[in-house]
Amino acid sequence: MVATNTEIFLRTMLHVLGERYDYCVSDVSERDCIVRNLSHALFLRPLAHSEAMKEGRSTPLLFTNSTGEKNESLVDEVLRDIATRQTARGGHAAEYHLKKEYNDRCTPFFSHYAKGMESKAHLRSRELKSHVGLPCLPPLCDRFRSLLALASCDMLHSTLVHWLSKAVNPNYDNWREHTIHQMVYLVGLISLEEECYIKGA
């Protein structure tokens, strides 16, 4: 039960520190948000045009008018930019495959992934023989910049030290691989944030 609670805590920290694709949270455009949503959907599997458009339309805060026509065309434009159209086997309808250069922008800890989808994203990453994505994050808006203080809070540091020490202890086997993945990824995020801060200082 402790490991489960740890995973929930780490997942919350990953989302708070790593999920910034919202107009009010960081400096991103509507297009940026659509690219992120669509690329993570296509990372799991190829999609038919209708499926991809549905994923694109599910982007939070997408539509700004009653018809959504302008935004619908933007979704279609993004889809054609980040994916290639290929004829499916057996002569079925064409599918869209995510372009290789977008694979490394995807993370198994995407906030819209359910746990099963997260596991599938990990497997997909291994199939591609690529590292777990650690994309460069957009800078937070002034009102949310204080969230970065969470990266240095005592509770997070204690959790990381406790479980990482358990993982390297050969006499302790009551830890989960998924928990270690979360911690390593979170450490990477914090390190990347610190690097960006130093460069900007």
Side-chain angles (χ1 to χ4, degrees), residues 92-105:
H92 296 294
E95 294 177 328
Y96 285 83
H97 295 247
L98 187 65
K99 292 180 179 177
K100 290 181 180 179
E101 57 265 34
Y102 287 88
N103 284 330
D104 287 343
R105 301 188 187 189

Side-chain angles (χ1 to χ4, degrees), residues 18-23 25-26 28-29 32-33 36 60 135-138:
E19 291 296 331
R20 305 180 185 181
Y21 283 79
D22 188 299
Y23 315 136
V25 176
S26 62
V28 292
S29 66
D32 293 331
C33 297
R36 183 168 175 80
C136 188
L137 297 172

Side-chain angles (χ1 to χ4, degrees), residues 9-168:
F9 170 66
L10 292 172
R11 187 176 181 85
T12 300
M13 294 297 291
L14 283 167
H15 290 177
V16 170
L17 295 174
E19 291 296 331
R20 305 180 185 181
Y21 283 79
D22 188 299
Y23 315 136
C24 302
V25 176
S26 62
D27 184 20
V28 292
S29 66
E30 186 175 40
R31 181 186 175 86
D32 293 331
C33 297
I34 297 171
V35 168
R36 183 168 175 80
N37 233 40
L38 259 182
S39 59
H40 277 86
L42 289 165
F43 183 71
L44 295 181
R45 66 180 179 89
L47 298 175
H49 185 267
S50 58
E51 293 176 306
M53 291 297 291
K54 182 179 179 181
E55 290 291 342
R57 288 195 298 268
S58 70
T59 302
L61 305 178
L62 175 59
F63 296 123
T64 55
N65 55 53
S66 58
T67 62
E69 291 179 3
K70 178 181 177 182
N71 307 79
E72 183 94 7
S73 64
L74 181 58
V75 172
D76 191 58
E77 178 187 320
V78 168
L79 174 61
R80 296 177 193 281
D81 284 345
I82 70 171
T84 55
R85 187 174 182 270
Q86 300 178 21
T87 303
R89 293 179 181 177
H92 296 294
E95 294 177 328
Y96 285 83
H97 295 247
L98 187 65
K99 292 180 179 177
K100 290 181 180 179
E101 57 265 34
Y102 287 88
N103 284 330
D104 287 343
R105 301 188 187 189
C106 298
T107 166
F109 303 112
F110 182 48
S111 61
H112 291 207
Y113 281 166
K115 193 165 186 180
M117 297 167 73
E118 190 175 300
S119 299
K120 188 174 181 179
H122 276 291
L123 291 174
R124 177 68 175 148
S125 183
R126 290 174 186 173
E127 287 173 6
L128 295 170
K129 296 182 179 179
S130 63
H131 66 279
V132 175
L134 193 64
C136 188
L137 297 172
L140 290 165
C141 295
D142 290 342
R143 69 175 68 178
F144 286 100
R145 202 160 291 161
S146 59
L147 286 174
L148 297 178
L150 291 172
S152 58
C153 73
D154 291 341
M155 181 179 289
L156 177 58
H157 286 185
S158 296
T159 300
L160 292 175
V161 170
H162 174 77
W163 282 103
L164 288 175
S165 63
K166 294 286 188 184
V168 298

